[in-house]
């Protein structure tokens, strides 16, 4: 029997037709199963959690059949209460499937602590950008008799003398005592 006779035979055509019908039925069953198992067309709306406490955010997500995942604490933002949500992913109003994880970023309890650098014997011109780069603010400048003009002699925070390596919250104000260029 030649290949051409076999391809046009009734047996071969019946088998091809049977295979096509089986594939169509299998695809139909698969699509129906996917619609049921993935809740096709059923969505939950992500609530706006910004500024809310962890407890309130978790309660809102549970009522919407969503799962909270705390991603990290960011840098302290004074515009929001401590331990409140400052960021979320996906954003509010997004349509998602139920049991979807909503990643939230929390506001820490305060600014993180930063080590005070060694600025003694350096100039004001060097000290100011160093402090600002670390997140500190340069406060009051006072002068004492010293031959070095604008040389840092002491560093103070809230009237207390501070040394290299002391830990202060970021954005703390550091007052500098400088030399005025006059011999003592």
């Amino acid at each position: 029997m030649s290949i051409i006779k076999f391809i046009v035979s009734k047996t071969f055509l019946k088998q091809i037709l049977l295979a096509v019908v089986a594939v169509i039925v299998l695809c139909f069953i698969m699509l129906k199963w996917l619609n049921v198992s993935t809740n096709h067309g059923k969505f939950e709306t992500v609530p706006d959690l910004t500024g809310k406490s962890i407890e309130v955010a978790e309660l809102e997500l549970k009522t919407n059949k969503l799962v909270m995942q705390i991603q990290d604490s960011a840098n302290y933002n004074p515009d929001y209460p401590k331990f409140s949500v400052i960021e979320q992913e996906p954003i509010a109003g997004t349509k998602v499937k139920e049991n979807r994880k909503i990643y939230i970023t929390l506001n820490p309890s305060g600014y993180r602590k930063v080590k005070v650098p060694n600025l003694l014997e350096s100039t004001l011109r060097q000290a100011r950008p160093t402090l600002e780069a670390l997140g500190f603010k340069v406060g009051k400048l006072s002068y004492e008799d010293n031959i070095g003009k604008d040389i840092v002699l002491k560093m103070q925070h809230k009237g207390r003398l501070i040394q290299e390596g002391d830990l202060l919250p970021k954005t703390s104000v550091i007052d500098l005592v400088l030399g005025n260029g006059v011999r003592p």
Side-chain angles (χ1 to χ4, degrees), residues 16-154:
I16 291 291
L17 184 64
L18 202 58
V20 168
V21 169
V23 166
I24 290 173
V25 168
L26 191 62
C27 286
F28 180 77
I29 292 171
M30 235 5 208
L31 288 173
K32 287 297 178 188
W33 177 76
L34 281 173
N35 278 344
V36 171
S37 67
T38 62
N39 295 327
H40 183 71
K42 297 177 186 172
F43 298 101
E44 299 294 335
T45 304
V46 177
D48 185 12
L49 305 173
T50 308
K52 297 181 179 172
S53 69
I54 301 170
E55 295 83 16
V56 172
E58 188 170 28
L59 185 64
E60 276 196 40
L61 290 176
K62 278 187 182 178
T63 58
N64 288 326
K65 300 176 188 162
L66 300 170
V67 179
M68 179 173 71
Q69 179 74 40
I70 298 174
Q71 195 170 27
D72 194 9
S73 292
N75 289 330
Y76 180 70
N77 187 340
D79 298 335
Y80 293 98
K82 295 177 181 178
F83 303 115
S84 65
V85 178
I86 58 174
E87 208 173 277
Q88 71 184 62
E89 180 61 39
I91 59 172
T94 305
K95 302 278 189 197
V96 296
K97 296 289 186 178
E98 70 178 49
N99 293 323
R100 165 81 188 265
K101 286 184 182 176
I102 306 301
Y103 297 96
I104 63 172
T105 304
L106 297 178
N107 197 23
S109 62
Y111 289 107
R112 64 183 172 88
K113 300 226 178 210
V114 180
K115 281 187 178 182
V116 175
N118 182 15
L119 297 176
L120 300 180
E121 302 297 320
S122 60
T123 64
L124 175 62
R125 189 174 175 180
Q126 294 168 326
R128 186 182 301 270
T130 302
L131 290 173
E132 289 171 353
L134 292 171
F136 294 118
K137 294 178 182 166
V138 177
K140 187 177 77 172
L141 302 177
S142 56
Y143 292 89
E144 287 183 358
D145 287 343
N146 188 292
I147 195 164
K149 183 164 176 46
D150 288 336
I151 298 293
V152 178
L153 303 175
K154 298 176 195 168

